[in-house]
Amino acid sequence: MTSPKPKTIQTMKPATAAKKLGVPLSATPAEFQASVVSRDELNELQSTPPAWLADLRRNGPHTKQVIAAKLKVSIAGLLRGGITGPLTTAEIDALKAENPAWLEREQSNQVEARKEALRLKQR
């Protein structure tokens, strides 16, 4: 019998880790941006986020996936509305309060798309 190989540690680039954490890499601390992240470290960050990560998730800036979810539109809808970069929670709340025509239109498009997807799924 051969001896088992030592288990290699899975690592990822900071950009990949930031994406998995749902935060823009540019908003993370310099030490995070300069280091590789192991799978165990990522799991630790997800289960017990440090203060900087909790603050980013609460106040932003947020990624387009998070912005789209908070505004209840698609990512394509964000682009059609002219939103191309990260937004803070305050900016998202201001956009919701302003409720521009494009946002209403994209929200109704999203509702219709979800209804259609549900209808097709039930066939």
Side-chain angles (χ1 to χ4, degrees):
M1 281 178 56
T2 61
S3 61
K5 292 182 182 179
K7 189 174 183 181
T8 57
I9 298 174
Q10 290 182 320
T11 59
M12 61 192 85
K13 295 178 183 176
T16 304
K19 187 174 182 178
K20 289 180 181 285
L21 293 170
V23 296
L25 179 62
S26 60
T28 61
E31 355 18 286
F32 181 85
Q33 293 178 27
S35 64
V36 293
V37 180
S38 72
R39 173 66 63 187
D40 292 337
E41 290 169 332
L42 179 69
N43 291 339
E44 181 69 23
L45 286 170
Q46 288 174 327
S47 63
T48 54
W52 64 266
L53 181 55
D55 185 52
L56 271 177
R57 287 180 170 167
R58 186 175 37 258
N59 301 318
H62 300 290
T63 60
K64 58 187 169 194
Q65 292 86 351
V66 174
I67 298 167
K70 286 180 179 262
L71 293 175
K72 298 181 177 133
V73 298
S74 66
I75 292 172
L78 282 179
L79 294 174
R80 287 190 292 269
I83 307 296
T84 57
L87 296 178
T88 64
T89 301
E91 292 169 325
I92 293 169
D93 291 342
L95 201 54
K96 284 180 182 178
E98 182 184 323
N99 202 20
W102 72 264
L103 182 57
E104 280 188 48
R105 186 175 57 252
E106 292 301 333
Q107 286 173 334
S108 66
N109 287 349
Q110 188 71 355
V111 167
E112 292 303 317
R114 287 186 177 146
K115 282 181 184 176
E116 181 64 12
L118 183 62
R119 185 188 70 80
L120 291 173
K121 187 177 179 181
Q122 290 175 342
R123 289 175 100 190

